[in-house]
Structures are given as structure tokens and as C-alpha cells.
Amino acid sequence: MINFGMFLKDSLSLDDNKKEALRNYKYAGEDQSFLAPFMYKLWGLFFVFVPKRISPNLVTVFGLIIVLLAFTLIHINLPDNDGFNCLIYGIALFIYQTADALDGMQGKRVHMYENATTEIFDHGVDSIVTSLSCIATITRLTHIDKHLSPIYSVLVLLTSFIGFHAPTYEHVVTRKMKFRPGPCNPTEALVTMQLLYLIAAIYPLIWTSEKSKLLLMIIIVPVLSLSAILSFLSSLKQIHIHHKGILSMTIKTVFRGYSPLFFIIICTFLYLPHISIFYKEHSLMCLLALAIPWNYSIYRTIIVEITNDKNFDTLGVLIGQSPILLPIFVAYFIPSLLIITLIISIILSGTLYIYTVHFTLKEVCHALSMKHFWTVKTDV
């Protein structure tokens, strides 16, 4: 009988080569955002509020906490005030995006910009906020329009997943993070979302008009979906170029690294449209059950990237995502148990995710001779 705990530890443990890669980690990135040069001037105004000797990871965590609090508040307050909820979440996203910019500035100030822990927190938190923001937007829409088809939830959710996952794994292969221009660029996407929440806060009934719904269904969703697909295809092209045009190597690399993304896409199309009636009452839990396994795959991908691991543990990642299969199976064969299995799936996925983060962070900090991830590691 396989000891799952030992299997997980073995797959997450860092050998000497990975620890050496952590110590030599260098970040290389390119942001082709149109808005970023202007927004950084605004975000930089808040840098005076960042204490001089705190870890940039704490700045990142602060932004995450603000979004988590806002996400919780708007779902507790869901039936009451749409305008207030949109205002709260829009402000939270602005604070998070500001913190996301300031952590890089702080990293340079305390010589931790190329510390491997900052990549874990910066990109790992980005994936969490991406999921939460998509879920918050979808639950806003389903609250306003109970007849909204789950297919739009599928498209909005997968757009964010694909647009985020593609450059993340491209980074693993090519050793360079490239954020391309367009609606899926992190800066453009977040600024646009903040503006939409602000408009919805001022005009909370905006999504009840047929013209607004038409704008969402016919223009916004297709544009975002197309942008995500183009981002994915661009990443495939860069991976193919990296392998000097050798198709067999490209296919092998793509299958290895993108299988967790394909798994979530398949699960989403098997799952959400099939439970449309149940989804109308429990959209938040249904979406969380899909988002946590996706975040797990992103986190594992980040660990592969910073350790320069040449052998992506596809099977280990898929096993970590497997709790989502439980409610899918039950939805088809024992629908009366769906709510129970959905809760169990979320708990199992969350536990695996938290354990993985805790275990790998200890390994990374030990390799870098850091007592904790929140301490300042001076590399000079």
C-alpha cells in the first residue's frame, strides 16, 4: 500500500541540485503592458509608507489579506448592497495591485528582488487573487441574474486560467517571464476590473439592463477568451523556438507542463454545465472547487521554475488536483450527495495546497539560510 504522505514529501523535497539552483536564482521578465509605465508612477507614491527593513514578502501578503477580507465581506453581504460590495472589492483590488508593485521596489531596496521566496509569493499570490477576482465577478453576475448560464462562468474562469498559466509555464521552459499586451496582461486586466467595479458601485443596476448583458455576452467574454487563446499560442511558439523547432520536444514539453491546465479545463466543462440548477444556488462553492486545484498546479509550476527542475512532476501535480474528480463523479451518478462531496473536495484540495506551500517554503528557506520567509535576506 502506497503511503500518500511519504509520496507527497518525496515529490516536494529539494535535492542538492535544486537547492543550488535556488541560491543562484535570477529573475528575468518582460512586461509589454501599455498601462504599467503610467501606473508605476502612481503606485510609487505609496512607497513612502513601506517600512525600510521589512521583507517584500510581507508587502505581498498584505495585499492578499486585503483581497481575502474584501472577498469574504462581499459574499457575507451578498444579498444586501451591490453598489457597496462593488466599491469594497474595487478598492481592495487597487490596494492589492499597489502592494504587488511595491513588493518589487522593496525587494530591490533590501536586496531580495532576485530572492527565490519573492517569486513564490509574488506569482503565487497573483494566481490566488486572479481566481478570487474571477469568482467574485461571476458571483456578482449570478446574484444579479439568476438565469445566467454557467457557460459564461466557464468562459470567464478559463480565460483567467489560460491567460495566467501560459506565461507561467513558458517561464519554466525559456527562463523568461513575458507579459504580453492585451486584455490578459496583468496590469490591463486588473485596472479594467477596478474600473468596472467602480462603475458598478456608482451605477449598481448597470448589469440589469439588456444592453449591458449583451455587452458582456457578445463583446467582453469573446474578447477575453480570444486574448487568452492568443497568449497560449504565443507561449507555445516561444517554447517551440526554445527547442529550436524540434516538434517532438515541443509536444513533450507542452504535454508535461500544460496537462494540469488541460485537466482543469476538461473538469470545468464536465462539471459546471452539467449541474446548472445546483450551480445557481451554490456558485461560490462550485467555482472554489475548480479554482483551488488550478492554484495548486500554478504553485507547483513556480517551484519547478525557481529550482530549475528539468523533470516537471506532472503526475504529482495531477494527483494534487484529483479531489475535484469526486464531485464530478457524484454529479453524474449520485447527485443527491453533491453538496457533501463538494465540501469534501474543497477541504481536501485546500489541505493539499496549504501543506504543499508550508512544506516547500520550509525547504526553500532552509536552502537559502533564511529563518523564515518574512525575514530580510541580504545578499550583499
Side-chain angles (χ1 to χ4, degrees):
M1 183 176 179
I2 298 175
N3 187 319
F4 181 74
M6 290 302 298
F7 171 80
L8 189 59
K9 284 186 177 181
D10 288 343
S11 67
L12 296 176
S13 297
L14 305 180
D15 58 27
D16 291 339
N17 290 332
K18 293 177 183 178
K19 291 178 181 178
E20 185 64 24
L22 285 170
R23 290 188 280 268
N24 296 322
Y25 173 76
K26 300 292 182 184
Y27 175 77
E30 177 186 349
D31 190 351
Q32 299 176 353
S33 165
F34 296 117
L35 291 176
F38 305 99
M39 293 302 298
Y40 268 99
K41 294 178 182 179
L42 173 62
W43 297 326
L45 298 175
F46 296 91
F47 193 46
V48 295
F49 298 106
V50 180
K52 292 183 178 180
R53 292 298 299 170
I54 70 166
S55 168
N57 297 331
L58 289 180
V59 180
T60 310
V61 170
F62 171 76
L64 174 62
I65 290 172
I66 294 298
V67 171
L68 283 172
L69 288 174
F71 183 84
T72 304
L73 178 62
I74 67 172
H75 285 93
I76 292 175
N77 194 43
L78 193 61
D80 299 324
N81 191 327
D82 284 313
F84 176 74
N85 288 336
C86 289
L87 179 63
I88 288 295
Y89 202 76
I91 292 173
L93 283 180
F94 176 77
I95 294 173
Y96 156 74
Q97 195 173 24
T98 302
D100 191 43
L102 296 181
D103 62 10
M105 300 178 194
Q106 181 67 3
K108 292 177 180 178
R109 180 158 69 178
V110 298
H111 311 290
M112 285 184 65
Y113 185 73
E114 292 185 333
N115 184 284
T117 62
T118 62
E119 175 66 10
I120 292 176
F121 276 86
D122 185 73
H123 212 55
V125 166
D126 286 346
S127 72
I128 296 172
V129 173
T130 296
S131 297
L132 294 178
S133 298
C134 282
I135 292 173
T137 302
I138 294 168
T139 55
R140 292 282 88 216
L141 293 172
T142 52
H143 169 60
I144 293 169
D145 184 0
K146 291 290 185 182
H147 301 292
L148 190 70
S149 171
I151 194 65
Y152 294 108
S153 300
V154 169
L155 293 174
V156 171
L157 199 66
L158 294 186
T159 292
S160 65
F161 287 177
I162 295 169
F164 195 103
H165 208 117
T168 302
Y169 185 65
E170 179 189 337
H171 191 194
V172 171
V173 179
T174 65
R175 312 303 301 167
K176 185 174 184 178
M177 179 74 79
K178 185 179 288 186
F179 298 110
R180 293 171 180 81
C184 280
N185 181 280
T187 303
E188 270 77 355
L190 276 171
V191 170
T192 301
M193 191 165 286
Q194 290 163 39
L195 291 174
L196 287 174
Y197 272 102
L198 177 61
I199 293 171
I202 298 172
Y203 304 104
L205 299 180
I206 188 170
W207 294 115
T208 60
S209 75
E210 291 303 319
K211 290 183 179 179
S212 296
K213 291 179 186 178
L214 193 65
L215 181 69
L216 174 72
M217 310 309 180
I218 297 180
I219 300 178
I220 296 179
V221 171
V223 167
L224 289 176
S225 299
L226 179 62
S227 178
I229 292 170
L230 290 176
S231 177
F232 179 73
L233 292 177
S234 179
S235 292
L236 293 185
K237 179 182 176 181
Q238 294 303 315
I239 292 172
H240 191 54
I241 292 172
H242 176 79
H243 287 308
K244 298 180 173 57
I246 302 174
L247 184 60
S248 60
M249 291 182 65
T250 301
I251 293 174
K252 182 179 178 181
T253 300
V254 168
F255 178 79
R256 179 186 298 161
Y258 286 122
S259 288
L261 173 62
F262 299 150
F263 176 77
I264 291 297
I265 292 174
I266 293 169
C267 287
T268 303
F269 277 106
L270 284 175
Y271 182 46
L272 291 188
H274 182 72
I275 58 169
S276 57
I277 297 175
F278 178 86
Y279 173 81
K280 290 177 182 178
E281 296 298 325
H282 304 283
S283 59
L284 177 59
M285 289 202 304
C286 292
L287 296 170
L288 283 175
L290 291 164
I292 298 173
W294 175 75
N295 276 277
Y296 181 85
S297 69
I298 287 292
Y299 183 81
R300 290 290 297 268
T301 304
I302 294 169
I303 296 299
V304 170
E305 184 264 316
I306 63 174
T307 57
N308 197 20
D309 190 354
K310 303 300 182 184
N311 298 305
F312 188 89
D313 183 18
T314 305
L315 178 61
V317 177
L318 290 174
I319 290 174
Q321 295 178 302
S322 62
I324 185 56
L325 294 175
L326 181 61
I328 292 176
F329 176 84
V330 168
Y332 279 87
F333 299 105
I334 323 173
S336 60
L337 297 178
L338 183 55
I339 186 67
I340 297 173
T341 52
L342 189 61
I343 294 171
I344 292 172
S345 173
I346 292 172
I347 293 173
L348 285 176
S349 294
T351 301
L352 277 170
Y353 181 78
I354 293 169
Y355 175 82
T356 300
V357 171
H358 174 73
F359 185 88
T360 51
L361 271 179
K362 285 180 63 178
E363 290 275 288
V364 171
C365 288
H366 178 72
L368 297 176
S369 301
M370 294 174 63
K371 189 174 182 181
H372 303 291
F373 70 83
W374 59 81
T375 57
V376 173
K377 171 67 175 177
T378 303
D379 294 322
V380 296

